[in-house]
């Protein structure tokens, strides 16, 4: 071009890039008239010693001494590899290596995902927002609250509708939130009619400015079952307050089997089965994920035919964070007093059994027709090969879960991937690394680009274009034998 600009065709934006400048996504630049991928290409090295493997993704600081590492100990990831766009081109790296005497091939590309999102698991009992309510980032709708799980609130973020189906601001805010979450950064989200929460992969959530510490030991009913024996004889009644299933010791099967006598207690809410109550209060961020700060507010009057003055009552939340101890006076009114030492131990035991609260970020995306076309001229064969476990799919060398059914729809825990593995393009869409590893003979059978296969040693060099990181010890090594169901 007249001004020496070159055109990048690595995504549909088709930037014209002047010398010394970068394109819109900062991933490609014009270096002396050459279009170059600017981030280093990440090579994964198998952890060889326990000491080394304990440090995830330890970056090599030493200079390369010229020794070629063995084929089976190096895995070429797609991070920094470049993309396949416009689809019919073979993937940027199709690398052969010999592993345990078998010729393998890894097809490597940075996929441009318009159909992608994040499933976010937030370990907290606190109510973040009603199911289906909109989740916002930078004021824009980026997802929704989905079904909560045991001890965790779940958000579903991203997806093609938020990326492409709304305003430009909505798409940009969605892409931004996904990119930051996938790259391990903190993101503030606000839920309509609910809480503000700061989330970050592998870190505790911060709900309305308060850092969550522990997830619940179980639902109220399960907590009664787990601790009934420890309470027996030390207290007459226990109520474990839970937004979903509040448990009552004397009525619960666990209490019955231990011979706990009736206490005349009356719970508000809906009795499900003996000793298990639903909806004793509204959802909230206080006791057991309810909105109550006074536990007595979920009790009705004690039955005077059964209850006795002096009756001892412990009320505790599912995390043991909140607790209160009462004794009935002559008018059968609960009067709060100090928690007796034996009961204090049981409350501490509940806390001790609660695991640390974390956020988990699962990237979810569909390897569509375009991405598969970079692997083989007959893309459906790749889908079949993945289904038959002849081809292993990884993201930055990390394991993925491949959904059953049609297509190649994957989920990957971003905290098992090397840092900053994700990028974006301003269409907007997320750029995620994806690798397909299979036997060379199987690659030939599925119509692979055999004339683009090159040996690992052809890219082994130690320049700024490469970054070598050590694999995580708890990740299966991606070059292990394929062909068996995983
Ligand atoms: S946005 Fe990035 S990948 Fe797309 S054309 Fe521009 S420089 Fe290339």
């Amino acid at each position: 071009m007249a001004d020496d600009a070159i055109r990048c065709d690595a995504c549909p934006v088709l930037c014209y890039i002047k010398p010394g400048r970068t394109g819109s996504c900062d991933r490609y630049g014009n270096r002396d008239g050459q279009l170059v991928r600017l981030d280093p290409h990440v090579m994964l090295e198998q952890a060889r010693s326990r000491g080394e493997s304990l440090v995830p993704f330890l970056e090599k600081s030493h200079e390369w001494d010229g020794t070629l590492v063995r084929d089976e100990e190096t895995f070429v990831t797609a991070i920094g590899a470049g993309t396949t766009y416009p689809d019919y081109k073979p993937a940027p790296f199709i690398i052969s290596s010999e592993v345990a005497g078998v010729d393998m091939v890894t097809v490597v590309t940075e996929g441009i995902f318009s159909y992608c999102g994040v499933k976010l698991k937030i370990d907290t009992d606190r109510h973040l927002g009603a199911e289906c309510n909109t989740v916002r980032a930078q004021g824009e709708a980026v997802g929704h609250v989905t079904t909560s799980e045991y001890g965790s609130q779940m958000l579903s973020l991203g997806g093609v509708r938020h990326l492409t189906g709304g305003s430009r601001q909505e798409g940009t805010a969605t892409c931004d939130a996904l990119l930051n979450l996938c790259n391990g950064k903190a993101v503030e989200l606000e839920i309509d009619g609910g809480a503000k929460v700061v989330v970050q992969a592998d870190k505790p959530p911060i709900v309305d400015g308060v850092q969550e510490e522990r997830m619940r030991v179980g639902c109220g009913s399960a907590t009664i079952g787990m601790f009934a024996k420890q309470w027996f004889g030390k207290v007459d009644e226990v109520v474990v307050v839970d937004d979903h299933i509040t448990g009552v010791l004397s009525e619960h099967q666990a209490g019955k089997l231990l011979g706990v006598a009736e206490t005349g207690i009356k719970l508000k809410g809906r009795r499900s089965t003996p000793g298990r109550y639903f909806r004793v209060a509204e959802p909230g961020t206080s006791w057991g994920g309810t909105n109550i700060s006074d536990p007595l507010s979920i009790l009705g009057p004690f039955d005077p035919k059964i209850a006795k003055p002096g009756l001892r009552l412990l009320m505790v939340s599912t995390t043991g964070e909140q607790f209160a101890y009462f004794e009935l006076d002559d008018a059968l009114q609960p009067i709060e007093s100090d928690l007796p030492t034996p009961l204090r131990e049981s409350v501490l035991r509940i806390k001790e059994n609660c695991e640390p609260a974390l956020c988990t970020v699962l990237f979810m995306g569909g390897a569509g027709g375009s991405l598969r076309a970079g692997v083989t001229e007959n893309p459906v064969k790749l889908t079949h090969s993945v289904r038959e476990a002849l081809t292993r799919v990884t993201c930055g060398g990390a394991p993925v879960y491949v959904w059953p059914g049609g297509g190649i729809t994957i989920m990957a825990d971003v905290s098992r991937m090397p840092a900053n593995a994700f990028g974006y393009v301003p269409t907007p869409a997320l750029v995620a690394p994806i690798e397909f590893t299979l036997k060379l003979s199987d690659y030939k059978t599925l119509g692979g680009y055999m004339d683009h296969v090159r040996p690992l040693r052809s890219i082994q060099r130690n320049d700024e274009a490469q970054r070598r990181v050590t694999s995580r010890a708890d990740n299966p090594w991606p070059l292990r034998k394929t062909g068996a169901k995983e």
Side-chain angles (χ1 to χ4, degrees):
M1 301 195 53
D3 59 0
D4 290 335
I6 51 173
R7 198 179 76 163
C8 174
D9 63 356
C11 93
V13 176
L14 300 175
C15 297
Y16 285 100
I17 311 176
K18 290 183 179 169
R21 307 293 291 269
T22 64
S24 303
C25 68
D26 289 336
R27 294 166 58 239
Y28 286 89
N30 179 342
R31 189 180 289 161
D32 303 328
Q34 295 291 314
L35 182 70
V36 289
R37 179 71 178 87
L38 295 171
D39 301 300
H41 188 188
V42 173
M43 305 286 144
L44 214 53
E45 289 186 357
Q46 192 168 19
R48 291 184 208 175
S49 68
R50 182 160 174 72
E52 186 176 33
S53 68
L54 281 175
V55 183
F57 303 118
L58 179 73
E59 233 169 293
K60 302 285 183 193
S61 54
H62 57 78
E63 289 298 308
W64 183 51
D65 60 5
T67 313
L68 290 178
V69 288
R70 290 195 295 163
D71 275 13
E72 51 208 279
E73 292 174 349
T74 301
F75 182 74
V76 179
T77 78
I79 303 166
T83 44
T84 307
Y85 199 80
D87 308 345
Y88 59 80
K89 287 196 301 197
F93 290 91
I94 304 176
I95 301 297
S96 65
S97 50
E98 191 186 315
V99 179
V102 179
D103 287 327
M104 304 290 291
V105 67
T106 300
V107 185
V108 162
T109 188
E110 287 181 301
I112 299 175
F113 288 87
S114 298
Y115 293 84
C116 74
V118 151
K119 303 297 175 215
L120 191 53
K121 173 173 167 282
I122 304 171
D123 298 338
T124 180
D125 253 3
R126 289 173 227 286
H127 177 73
L128 301 182
E131 254 174 55
C132 302
N133 274 19
T134 298
V135 178
R136 296 180 188 276
Q138 302 169 42
E140 298 291 337
V142 301
H144 63 273
V145 180
T146 186
T147 324
S148 63
E149 299 298 342
Y150 204 100
S152 309
Q153 310 297 323
M154 306 290 293
L155 306 184
S156 181
L157 306 184
V160 70
R161 197 177 64 76
H162 286 295
L163 281 169
T164 70
S167 64
R168 174 157 281 281
Q169 293 92 318
E170 179 177 335
T172 305
T174 301
C175 191
D176 206 39
L178 296 180
L179 179 66
N180 285 327
L181 282 172
C182 287
N183 278 339
K185 299 197 173 107
V187 171
E188 183 176 275
L189 301 169
E190 187 161 11
I191 295 156
D192 284 1
K196 258 191 194 165
V197 56
V198 178
V199 288
Q200 185 173 8
D202 245 10
K203 294 277 188 303
I206 300 169
V207 181
D208 286 334
V210 179
Q211 181 171 307
E212 191 60 280
E213 287 184 4
R214 309 227 154 242
M215 61 190 300
R216 59 164 54 190
V217 66
C219 71
S221 170
T223 309
I224 291 281
M226 278 186 270
F227 295 94
K229 263 191 164 172
Q230 299 183 32
W231 288 320
F232 184 61
K234 295 173 188 154
V235 66
D236 301 305
E237 184 65 279
V238 180
V239 176
V240 182
V241 182
D242 174 13
D243 177 40
H244 310 127
I245 310 170
T246 289
V248 179
L249 177 65
S250 65
E251 298 178 9
H252 194 278
Q253 186 68 1
K256 292 279 178 224
L257 288 175
L258 287 170
V260 176
E262 285 183 50
T263 58
I265 196 166
K266 174 132 182 51
L267 263 283
K268 293 179 182 168
R270 180 159 70 82
R271 187 169 176 268
S272 157
T273 50
R276 300 168 76 252
Y277 290 82
F278 298 163
R279 299 210 60 179
V280 295
E282 292 301 314
T285 56
S286 191
W287 281 63
T290 70
N291 63 344
I292 62 160
S293 51
D294 173 13
L296 295 180
S297 65
I298 66 168
L299 300 188
F302 276 75
D303 183 347
K305 294 198 201 91
I306 303 170
K308 299 268 184 312
L311 186 141
R312 301 163 298 170
L313 166 66
L314 169 66
M315 298 189 77
V316 62
S317 67
T318 43
T319 55
E321 275 171 290
Q322 295 100 345
F323 56 87
Y325 174 77
F326 305 90
E327 291 182 5
L328 296 193
D329 65 9
D330 290 343
L332 303 181
Q333 292 299 312
I335 306 298
E336 186 164 5
S337 56
D338 289 344
L339 188 68
T341 303
L343 291 182
R344 188 171 297 278
E345 282 164 13
S346 74
V347 169
L348 287 175
R349 182 62 60 85
I350 291 177
K351 275 192 189 171
E352 183 188 327
N353 274 270
C354 294
E355 290 183 81
L358 294 173
C359 299
T360 310
V361 177
L362 292 191
F363 165 74
M364 184 164 174
S370 55
L371 197 153
R372 288 178 294 158
V375 182
T376 161
E377 286 170 350
N378 195 357
V380 74
K381 284 199 169 182
L382 177 66
T383 312
H384 296 160
S385 178
V386 169
R387 188 75 52 238
E388 289 157 18
L390 297 174
T391 295
R392 172 175 300 118
V393 187
T394 50
C395 278
V400 305
Y401 174 74
V402 181
W403 278 73
I408 303 175
T409 304
I410 55 165
M411 284 202 305
D413 178 352
V414 302
S415 63
R416 300 181 76 169
M417 297 166 68
N420 294 318
F422 290 81
Y424 82 102
V425 289
T427 51
L430 212 58
V431 176
I434 187 162
E435 304 97 19
F436 301 93
T437 301
L438 64 166
K439 283 185 197 154
L440 189 61
S441 55
D442 288 337
Y443 188 53
K444 188 173 182 186
T445 307
L446 65 79
Y449 300 100
M450 296 303 287
D451 49 346
H452 284 76
V453 175
R454 50 180 162 145
L456 178 65
R457 77 184 78 89
S458 70
I459 59 163
Q460 280 187 348
R461 61 191 195 280
N462 188 46
D463 59 27
E464 59 181 18
Q466 273 188 23
R467 186 162 66 100
R468 291 180 172 266
V469 297
T470 304
S471 65
R472 264 178 74 132
D474 56 347
N475 279 354
W477 182 238
L479 284 177
R480 70 199 186 286
K481 199 171 148 223
T482 59
K485 285 274 179 202
E486 294 177 7

